[in-house]
Amino acid sequence: MRWKWIFIAPLAILAMVLFIFLGGEIVLHLWNWLLPPLFGWRLITFWQALGLLVLCRILFGGHGWHSPGRSRFRRGMRDRCEHRTPEEREQFRQRMRERWGFGPSASENKAQ
């Protein structure tokens, strides 16, 4: 078992380095191919492309895994909704529409 790790660990490190390099190169070439001709922005270097890739990962996620808290929240909401009657579900939808500004509010419904 120990000999197996001696061979796998360097390959895993090499694969991570290759993945990072390819990601940076892809962002670099896409940026330099699309944005300067379209918007007149400057060309970027490999290190700037790598920084942009890291920044996008931080801001928009995409880590390749899902946080357990998020799926637990969704499961709980689904369980609560399954036990509601159709009337309760519609009341909930109406309150959400009013709260977030989708569709007519209760005051507009009363006026009509």
Side-chain angles (χ1 to χ4, degrees), residues 1-8:
M1 183 69 172
R2 186 175 180 145
W3 288 102
K4 186 176 182 181
W5 283 107
I6 291 174
F7 294 112
I8 291 178

Side-chain angles (χ1 to χ4, degrees), residues 33-41:
W33 176 55
L34 290 172
L35 296 178
L38 290 175
F39 302 111
W41 293 357

